[in-house]
Amino acid sequence: MAGFGMLDVIAIAFFAAAWIGYLLAVETGPHARRSLNTLMNQRRERWIMESVKRENRIIDTQVMNGLQNGTAFFASTSLIAIGGSLTLLQSADRVVQVFADLPFATTTTRAAWEIKVIGLAVIFAYAFFKFSWSYRLFNYCAILIGAIPSWTEADKPETIAAAREAVAMNVVAGLHFNRGQRAFFFALAYLGWFISPWLFLIATAAVLTVMWRRQFASDSAAAVGAGRRAA
């Protein structure tokens, strides 16, 4: 089938299962509440609710600028990656010949190479949409923070409700940013498929392990959780 063997099918199935399974585990699974993303969402809430009490909210504006600039950087990088991926289609014949001469690479066909490149471009396109939407949502969040009433009305229900809106928007923006960044990580594993389906399997397992560790057993997760335990 277009130069793909059973091992290729197994590798891409494992890749898809790893991506979907990790997403469900981190965002909706029973362990999601212990993830670094969830811990940081709680800090997002604390930050914005504390901003209600501040007379001068310049620091909050600076934090939002940092979030927006980081998201814009990744969105721009995604576009460059899409262009680079599509450029590979123009050199398919030469690349196939080069891979045929490598002792450790699996023999591939032009059709297989093109399908793999298109798949890589799709991953980066998905990341671009996630980052660009996240950037838009952070803009909305900045507006919602600006719409929070003055600190002199911090105890009023309307003020608390406005702050809750900003919190919810910030959390959703962070969710889409995390999904875009996750696509980048899995794209690194996907690159292994260009060499060998075995390397694809190993790289996917390695990326999955690294991301899982960062969410649940990393120094950064322990640092965020330390404050809660101390409290």
Side-chain angles (χ1 to χ4, degrees), residues 1-2 6 20 31 50-51 59 74 81 101 104 114 116 135 143 148 156 191 195 202 207 215 230:
M1 184 182 65
M6 181 56 63
I20 296 172
H31 301 293
E50 285 294 324
S51 71
I59 182 63
F74 278 103
D101 297 334
F104 53 82
E114 291 178 345
K116 292 176 182 179
Y135 182 82
I143 294 172
I148 297 175
K156 291 186 177 181
L191 292 175
I195 305 296
I202 295 171
V207 167
Q215 283 292 327

Side-chain angles (χ1 to χ4, degrees), residues 32-49:
R33 64 180 180 275
R34 298 190 297 104
S35 69
L36 179 59
N37 290 346
T38 299
L39 294 175
M40 289 309 302
N41 286 340
Q42 295 170 0
R43 278 30 177 207
R44 294 174 193 268
E45 179 179 9
R46 181 192 298 177
W47 154 46
I48 295 178
M49 297 308 295

Side-chain angles (χ1 to χ4, degrees), residues 129-144:
F129 279 110
K130 287 300 177 181
F131 286 130
S132 59
W133 183 236
S134 176
Y135 182 82
R136 183 79 172 268
L137 294 181
F138 278 130
N139 282 336
Y140 291 159
C141 182
I143 294 172
L144 291 175

Side-chain angles (χ1 to χ4, degrees), residues 33-134:
R33 64 180 180 275
R34 298 190 297 104
S35 69
L36 179 59
N37 290 346
T38 299
L39 294 175
M40 289 309 302
N41 286 340
Q42 295 170 0
R43 278 30 177 207
R44 294 174 193 268
E45 179 179 9
R46 181 192 298 177
W47 154 46
I48 295 178
M49 297 308 295
E50 285 294 324
S51 71
V52 173
K53 307 172 186 178
R54 281 193 280 270
E55 179 179 4
N56 190 330
R57 294 174 182 164
I58 293 179
I59 182 63
D60 306 301
T61 303
Q62 292 176 336
V63 173
M64 284 304 307
N65 286 337
L67 293 173
Q68 291 172 316
N69 291 337
T71 306
F73 168 78
F74 278 103
S76 300
T77 304
S78 299
L79 283 177
I80 296 173
I82 293 171
S85 299
L86 296 179
T87 301
L88 292 175
L89 292 175
Q90 301 177 357
S91 56
D93 291 329
R94 183 174 59 183
V95 171
V96 169
Q97 183 60 44
V98 170
F99 272 73
D101 297 334
L102 295 177
F104 53 82
T106 302
T107 303
T108 187
T109 64
R110 177 188 177 90
W113 172 264
E114 291 178 345
I115 291 173
K116 292 176 182 179
V117 170
I118 292 173
L120 183 62
V122 168
I123 293 175
F124 286 127
Y126 170 84
F128 169 74
F129 279 110
K130 287 300 177 181
F131 286 130
S132 59
W133 183 236
S134 176

Side-chain angles (χ1 to χ4, degrees), residues 191-207:
L191 292 175
W193 198 16
F194 289 91
I195 305 296
S196 164
W198 282 111
L199 182 58
F200 189 18
L201 285 167
I202 295 171
T204 300
V207 167

